[in-house]
Amino acid sequence: MSNQSSKYPIVCASFNQESSFFAIGTRDGFKIFDTNTGRLCYERDIGAFSIVEMLFSKSLLAIVGAGEQPSLSPRRLCLFNTMTGTALRELNFLTSILAVRLNMKRLVVVLQDKTYVYDLNSLAILDSIDTVPNLKGICAFSPSLDGCFLALPASTTKGSVLVYNVMELHSHCEIEAHRSPLAAIVLSSTGMYIATASEQGTIVRVHLVSEATKYCSFRRGTYQSTIFSLSFGPSMQVPELLIATGSSGSLHVFSLAVTLNQRSRRSSSFLGSMIPNSINDKLDHHHVLHNAFPAGVKSHAVIRKVGKVAESSTSEAIASRASISIITYSGYFQEYSFSINNQNESSWSLEREFNLLTVISESDKTID
């Protein structure tokens, strides 16, 4: 996730595919942190970077300069080895690189009106996708090799999504998600679900990728807000939670698991089967932490862990608990603990917060 605005000390921020590490790019270089401990694992002060993407916990990085130094062109992608501190390969393009995604077999490079798919090992071009103008580099990628999809905007006037099968190299489907252009997209880690938000920012919709059908909708609010990030909780099946951050400074949590259970109960009853989907969509579970970070500050959040909590007096699991990590482009890392009980009552706790720009590295060792 890159950001060219000069008002923020952080230019870009991203979590790795497992959310166990995260990287930030600044105007001085880039840093890699351990999400669990907050330890600064690696840093390199060689100039401004607009993109820093990790490959799980490997020593390979995909980095793109911000163009503030002649040697760090925004049109050049460098595959960098943190173990040796050297560039392995470089790819040059005619226009600026807006986003990069990768897994163990594929490398995806998003430009303004074209997206390239490479074999990661040989860097051979496997396919090129002509796209509508995508000035913000909006995209989503599921790293699973079994359900490896890429999502891109399919229209500049409405919220249509092109879903592309990255392993089989063909278009999978197109989803009509919103009436307004897209602002944010995310795929679940297995590629089963896709969540979208438009530039209006009032509705978050979830679709089932395999069938290109709407799964559910959540109302974030009634007033317009720019959605900065969307993230599903980690899961091999249906993610329990979906979160969103936006320009209002609020953190939103939507319960997918509760929505699924309610729909299953309604569909099994005679009355429930007669309720229109438009009414069902309003029966969602939405929890908000207001003023989680300063309003207007760009942010990137992920759900790292989701688990069940048992009541002390019984062995019955009555609550879900999630660890939510947030990077703000003003330079801070925050970790919240979110809990919800079976009465749909939620609670929040700020577990950690520290300045990403003042952390001192314990060593210059690589992460792997």
Side-chain angles (χ1 to χ4, degrees), residues 136 138 153 155-161 176-186 195-207 218-221 223-230 244-247:
K136 297 180 180 179
I138 296 172
S155 172
T156 58
T157 59
K158 59 183 180 179
S160 300
V161 187
E176 302 289 337
H178 303 271
R179 289 194 293 265
S180 301
L182 294 170
I185 322 173
V186 69
T196 58
S198 74
E199 291 179 351
Q200 293 296 316
T202 55
I203 299 292
V204 176
R205 291 197 168 95
V206 179
H207 286 76
F218 298 100
R219 178 168 289 280
R220 182 211 55 83
Y223 57 89
Q224 184 172 349
S225 178
T226 300
I227 302 300
F228 292 139
S229 71
L230 295 168
T245 64
S247 56

Side-chain angles (χ1 to χ4, degrees), residues 240 305-309 319-323 338:
E240 289 195 24
K305 301 175 185 176
V306 177
K308 296 293 184 181
V309 181
S320 292
R321 177 174 294 170
S323 294
F338 168 78

Side-chain angles (χ1 to χ4, degrees), residues 241-257:
L241 301 174
L242 169 69
I243 62 171
T245 64
S247 56
S248 66
S250 298
L251 172 62
H252 300 263
V253 178
F254 309 102
S255 177
L256 291 169

Side-chain angles (χ1 to χ4, degrees), residues 86-272:
T86 58
L88 300 174
R89 294 284 298 275
E90 291 184 347
L91 295 172
N92 292 284
F93 300 88
L94 296 178
T95 59
S96 294
I97 301 166
L98 302 179
V100 175
R101 299 291 185 268
L102 66 168
N103 66 8
M104 299 302 291
K105 290 186 178 294
R106 295 289 188 260
L107 169 68
V108 176
V109 180
V110 179
L111 309 182
Q112 178 175 314
D113 53 13
K114 190 177 287 287
T115 295
Y116 293 95
V117 179
Y118 292 85
D119 178 272
L120 181 62
N121 296 316
S122 66
L123 291 190
I125 296 181
L126 301 177
D127 200 2
S128 61
I129 309 165
D130 293 322
T131 65
V132 300
N134 186 10
L135 302 180
K136 297 180 180 179
I138 296 172
C139 67
F141 185 70
S142 54
S144 170
L145 298 181
D146 295 327
C148 186
F149 293 102
L150 170 70
L152 297 162
S155 172
T156 58
T157 59
K158 59 183 180 179
S160 300
V161 187
L162 169 67
V163 180
Y164 177 90
N165 190 312
V166 180
M167 298 306 297
E168 298 179 7
L169 304 175
H170 64 78
S171 176
H172 174 72
C173 67
E174 187 170 317
I175 297 172
E176 302 289 337
H178 303 271
R179 289 194 293 265
S180 301
L182 294 170
I185 322 173
V186 69
L187 283 155
S188 63
S189 60
T190 60
M192 293 178 63
Y193 296 91
I194 183 171
T196 58
S198 74
E199 291 179 351
Q200 293 296 316
T202 55
I203 299 292
V204 176
R205 291 197 168 95
V206 179
H207 286 76
L208 186 63
V209 172
S210 61
E211 301 174 9
T213 55
K214 186 169 71 173
Y215 177 72
C216 60
S217 296
F218 298 100
R219 178 168 289 280
R220 182 211 55 83
T222 56
Y223 57 89
Q224 184 172 349
S225 178
T226 300
I227 302 300
F228 292 139
S229 71
L230 295 168
S231 176
F232 284 106
S235 174
M236 295 305 295
Q237 299 298 325
V238 180
E240 289 195 24
L241 301 174
L242 169 69
I243 62 171
T245 64
S247 56
S248 66
S250 298
L251 172 62
H252 300 263
V253 178
F254 309 102
S255 177
L256 291 169
V258 174
T259 301
L260 175 63
N261 291 335
Q262 284 195 343
R263 287 195 166 190
S264 297
R265 289 196 296 268
R266 284 198 301 267
S267 63
S268 63
S269 68
F270 175 74
L271 179 61

